[in-house]
């Protein structure tokens, strides 16, 4: 066993891992009170909205993968679609060639709240009040602010003070940003949840949940969200715009279930969300591996994974999205991957090379072609070196940030992985009556027609959010995920292979030196790329770095603990022993359990 930053936890009662210790402990409190994994995940999700508001919010989105004990694995889609008025023609008429990275024009129909409620209704055992009480307490009475919360607010201070004044009211009280360790409160958010619970009423648990959903989709919450979307708001285009969200958009959408996309690999079955997410790119990377992969951790191993990732992400750009049918079966087929595998040579590739599954011509938009040809820069200087992912907005227009994740397994064998994100405090102004902002996920859709990810009313923008669930011989054994935008299905592949190929325990696999590449169009405004790039942690063997450079990779050596924020829980089906681990990077993630 190698040295790790903390132990892999083990027990038989319940395990939680999340990107913030208060969310993990709140979820554990639910388990201790007799709730199940789904109750616990919902409680953790609402706490994350409070304690990591720079990383997620209630009007953002959350894909969830769940495995009820003895039941089928399901994906619960908490990614809202584009509003009815969000047409390419509307945005082009405003003089835009990209959806702005901030502001109401980038707001999809909010998805997170409804998804949490649907999960609670169908698989939980608790009432809305019982799972929301932890979030309400932290919003009302305060929580110790993490350092990054205050740093994020400082990057947008001028914007808040001059344009988004409702955000300054919450995040710059008395002109001061949240101080590390100082108690930070959001009384408007606490009041929102208290009013929603009051209007949800008493009585049957399911009826309470349905009334809460109705309040969100058609009551005072919907009214406030739509009012805010109609306020002219300064965004990354440098112009004030109003959004397209309406009451009808909110009333007409709800979170839905769908089967996962799966891939069988060496006795494992990996489950991901479909081609409206980047999830199948994880599976494509496994499908591209040769029958006998190189030794774990060697330069040949890293080179192979980087080059395979480039091919999978090129296919993501050409084939993934909700505006067209995604040929997932063909993309995961052995004949197709045998052809693609042959493209991986001994040297680093620098082109964007999507494939032609079933002989179909790949579709790339004008902006993606331009950045692939070097006609547009990466657009986020320094972000990749810092292991950044889901963006925050700096005053210079650069992006840097992350998102959240939570995994839970309980003593009955229920297992869930969720990746809440969007609705960042730096994405849109705070809705004054509610205490949280709209999201900006529409920035991931293209304003070119005819692409799988073209902006299309009623269709989901392709999301980077991508939780994972793994089965062994058909039985759920591990749930995991990470923040990190386009890096999520890179870091998760590396983690999974560290367990499956390297034989590492959960915490060893999370602590292992990590890396990523940006050699494909970014999902985030301004949608750049860095051909040939690889960013590695400084803890990686210097001889591996030197060999990667000899092979032509443009290697950036980042901080020792800069790549990935993974969480994981597991269950041994033979013994019933549960385990959990969490990422030490960022000094926030923790696993708890017994």
């Amino acid at each position: 066993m190698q040295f790790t930053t903390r132990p892999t936890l083990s027990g038989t009662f319940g395990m939680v891992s999340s990107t913030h210790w208060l969310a993990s402990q709140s979820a554990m409190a639910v388990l201790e009170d007799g709730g199940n994994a789904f109750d616990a995940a919902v409680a953790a999700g609402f706490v994350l909205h409070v304690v990591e508001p720079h990383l997620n919010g209630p009007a953002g989105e959350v894909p969830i993968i769940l495995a009820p004990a003895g039941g089928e694995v399901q994906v619960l889609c908490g990614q809202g679609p584009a509003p009815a008025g969000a047409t390419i023609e509307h945005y082009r008429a405003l003089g835009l060639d990209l959806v702005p990275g901030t502001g109401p024009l980038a707001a999809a129909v909010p998805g997170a709240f409804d998804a949490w409620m649907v999960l609670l209704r169908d698989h939980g055992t608790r009432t809305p009040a019982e799972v929301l009480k932890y979030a309400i307490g932290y919003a009302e009475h305060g929580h110790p602010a993490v350092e990054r919360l205050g740093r994020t607010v400082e990057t947008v201070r001028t914007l808040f003070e001059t344009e988004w004044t409702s955000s300054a009211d919450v995040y710059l009280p008395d002109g001061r940003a949240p101080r590390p360790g100082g108690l930070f409160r959001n009384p408007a958010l606490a009041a929102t949840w208290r009013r929603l619970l009051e209007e949800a009423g008493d009585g049957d648990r399911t009826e309470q949940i349905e009334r809460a959903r109705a309040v969100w989709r058609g009551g005072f919450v919907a009214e406030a969200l739509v009012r805010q979307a109609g306020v002219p708001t300064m965004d990354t285009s440098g112009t004030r715009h109003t959004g397209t969200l309406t009451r009808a958009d909110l009333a007409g959408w709800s979170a839905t279930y769908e089967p996962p996309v799966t891939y069988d690999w060496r006795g494992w079955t990996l489950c991901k969300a479909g081609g409206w997410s980047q999830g199948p790119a994880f599976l494509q990377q496994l499908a591209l591996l040769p029958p006998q992969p190189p030794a774990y951790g060697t330069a040949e191993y890293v080179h192979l994974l980087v080059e395979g990732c480039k091919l999978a992400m090129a296919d993501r750009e050409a084939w993934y999205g909700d505006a067209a049918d995604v040929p997932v079966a063909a993309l995961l087929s052995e004949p197709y991957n045998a052809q693609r595998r042959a493209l991986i040579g001994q040297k680093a590739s620098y082109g964007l090379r999507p494939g032609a599954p079933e002989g179909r011509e790949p579709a790339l938009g004008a902006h993606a072609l331009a950045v692939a040809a070097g006609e547009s820069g990466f657009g986020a200087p320094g972000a990749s070196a810092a292991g950044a992912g889901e963006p925050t907005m700096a005053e210079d227009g650069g992006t840097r940030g992350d998102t959240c994740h939570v995994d839970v397994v309980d003593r009955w064998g229920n297992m869930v992985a969720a990746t809440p994100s969007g609705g960042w405090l730096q994405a849109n102004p705070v809705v004054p009556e509610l205490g949280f902002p709209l999201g900006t996920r529409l920035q991931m859709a293209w304003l070119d027609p005819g692409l799988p990810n073209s902006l299309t009313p009623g269709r989901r923008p392709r999301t980077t959010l991508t939780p994972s669930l793994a089965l062994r011989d058909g039985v759920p054994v591990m749930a995991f995920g990470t923040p990190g935008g386009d890096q999520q299905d890179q870091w998760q592949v590396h983690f999974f292979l560290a367990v499956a190929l390297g034989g590492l325990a959960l915490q060893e696999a999370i602590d292992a030196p990590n890396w990523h590449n940006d050699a494909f169009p970014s999902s985030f405004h301004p949608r750049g790329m860095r051909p040939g790039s690889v960013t590695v942690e400084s803890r990686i063997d210097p001889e591996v770095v030197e060999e990667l450079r000899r092979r032509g990779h443009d290697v950036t050596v980042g901080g020792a603990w800069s790549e990935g924020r993974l969480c994981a829980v597991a269950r041994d089906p033979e013994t019933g022993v549960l385990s959990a681990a969490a990422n030490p990077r960022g000094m926030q993630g923790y696993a708890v359990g017994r």
Side-chain angles (χ1 to χ4, degrees):
M1 179 176 176
Q2 301 181 18
F3 171 80
T4 57
T5 57
R6 51 187 80 167
T8 296
L9 305 183
S10 61
T12 57
F13 179 81
M15 291 284 161
V16 182
S17 179
S18 87
T19 48
H20 196 289
W21 65 88
L22 292 179
S24 294
Q25 189 52 48
S26 297
M28 194 66 202
V30 173
L31 295 180
E32 294 284 5
D33 195 41
N36 66 20
F38 310 113
D39 298 313
V42 175
F46 281 107
V47 170
L48 288 171
H49 295 332
V50 176
V51 300
E52 295 189 313
H54 54 309
L55 309 181
N56 78 133
E61 43 275 325
V62 58
I64 303 169
I65 298 186
L66 56 144
E72 296 295 320
V73 177
Q74 295 177 295
V75 171
L76 177 56
C77 175
Q79 174 59 65
T87 65
I88 290 174
E89 293 76 20
H90 175 65
Y91 287 66
R92 290 289 187 179
L94 296 172
L96 299 170
D97 58 3
L98 290 174
V99 177
T102 60
L105 271 180
V109 177
F113 177 83
D114 197 65
W116 292 129
M117 289 294 104
V118 170
L119 180 66
L120 184 67
R121 179 195 68 190
D122 296 341
H123 298 281
T125 66
R126 293 318 197 225
T127 66
E130 288 172 322
V131 294
L132 270 165
K133 66 181 181 181
Y134 306 94
I136 291 172
Y138 288 125
E140 189 167 60
H141 303 296
H143 59 91
V146 295
E147 180 181 2
R148 201 163 196 180
L149 173 57
R151 293 208 325 254
T152 301
V153 172
E154 288 293 352
T155 67
V156 286
R157 171 185 284 274
T158 300
L159 179 69
F160 282 12
E161 291 177 335
T162 60
E163 295 279 349
W164 298 6
T165 55
S166 61
S167 296
D169 291 342
V170 174
Y171 291 103
L172 290 167
D174 302 320
R176 302 180 64 179
R179 292 170 296 166
L183 283 182
F184 177 74
R185 298 174 176 85
N186 189 341
L189 178 57
T192 294
W193 295 142
R194 288 195 181 281
R195 180 177 173 184
L196 182 140
L197 291 175
E198 180 180 349
E199 296 191 16
D202 299 321
D204 178 81
R205 189 184 75 90
T206 299
E207 291 176 355
Q208 290 182 48
I209 293 170
E210 287 304 307
R211 286 193 292 266
R213 295 178 68 211
V215 171
W216 177 275
R217 297 161 65 191
F220 80 94
V221 176
E223 180 180 339
L225 291 173
V226 171
R227 184 186 305 116
Q228 184 64 47
V231 175
T233 301
M234 181 65 70
D235 59 37
T236 53
S237 72
T239 303
R240 295 179 185 88
H241 291 113
T242 57
T244 62
L245 185 69
T246 67
R247 296 277 300 255
D249 294 318
L250 284 160
W253 181 84
S254 64
T256 55
Y257 293 99
E258 59 190 55
V261 175
T262 63
Y263 184 73
D264 294 329
W265 186 82
R266 295 191 170 198
W268 295 82
T269 299
L270 281 302
C271 302
K272 301 290 285 187
W276 54 271
S277 77
Q278 71 173 345
F282 180 113
L283 309 179
Q284 283 195 251
Q285 290 174 76
L286 293 184
L288 283 163
L289 291 174
Q292 294 299 323
Y296 171 79
T298 62
E300 179 67 25
Y301 175 84
V302 176
H303 170 78
L304 178 67
L305 292 185
V306 169
E307 293 301 300
C309 176
K310 292 176 185 178
L311 294 175
M313 290 302 196
D315 278 347
R316 183 193 75 164
E317 185 56 50
W319 297 106
Y320 292 20
D322 199 32
D325 291 331
V326 182
V328 172
L331 291 169
L332 294 176
S333 69
E334 177 52 30
Y336 177 75
N337 282 284
Q339 296 174 1
R340 299 287 279 164
R341 199 177 298 125
L343 298 176
I344 301 176
Q346 290 301 306
K347 292 290 187 178
S349 61
Y350 275 67
L352 187 67
R353 301 182 292 173
E358 301 172 329
R360 297 162 57 183
E361 190 68 22
L364 296 173
H367 187 88
L369 289 170
V371 296
E375 298 169 16
S376 176
F378 181 69
S384 60
E390 306 288 315
T392 63
M393 191 185 75
E395 290 176 308
D396 64 0
T399 57
R400 185 172 175 177
D402 240 316
T403 185
C404 307
H405 187 82
V406 59
D407 301 308
V408 189
V409 61
D410 63 27
R411 61 190 185 275
W412 301 289
N414 298 304
M415 189 177 291
V416 59
T419 308
S421 188
W424 308 293
L425 68 86
Q426 62 279 8
N428 257 306
V430 165
V431 183
E433 306 95 318
L434 303 179
F436 59 85
L438 287 163
T440 52
R441 193 61 56 172
L442 290 188
Q443 68 179 289
M444 299 188 168
W446 293 114
L447 296 181
D448 299 316
L451 303 176
N453 193 30
S454 295
L455 181 66
T456 307
R459 296 288 184 171
R460 296 163 288 190
R462 187 190 69 214
T463 182
T464 52
L465 307 175
T466 174
S468 301
L469 198 141
L471 289 69
R472 188 72 173 165
D473 298 322
V475 179
V477 296
M478 187 164 63
F480 56 100
T482 181
D486 295 314
Q487 285 80 57
Q488 288 183 30
D489 277 320
Q490 300 184 58
W491 293 330
Q492 290 186 74
V493 168
H494 308 161
F495 162 80
F496 170 71
L497 291 176
V499 172
L501 279 182
L504 274 60
L506 295 186
Q507 193 64 51
E508 290 178 298
I510 288 174
D511 285 357
N514 217 325
W515 67 92
H516 81 272
N517 83 89
D518 300 300
F520 47 86
S522 170
S523 295
F524 300 97
H525 188 279
R527 313 300 296 269
M529 64 181 283
R530 292 174 58 209
S533 68
V534 181
T535 302
V536 304
E537 289 183 326
S538 61
R539 294 180 296 128
I540 285 184
D541 187 340
E543 292 184 4
V544 170
V545 173
E546 184 58 32
E547 175 61 17
L548 291 174
R549 286 176 170 154
R550 191 188 69 78
R551 291 170 180 253
H553 296 280
D554 179 11
V555 181
T556 297
V557 178
W561 297 92
S562 57
E563 293 284 317
R565 282 179 64 201
L566 282 144
C567 301
V569 299
R571 179 179 184 271
D572 185 329
E574 294 185 3
T575 64
V577 171
L578 313 177
S579 55
N583 173 57
R585 301 165 179 89
M587 302 294 285
Q588 287 176 221
Y590 267 90
V592 296
R594 68 173 180 86

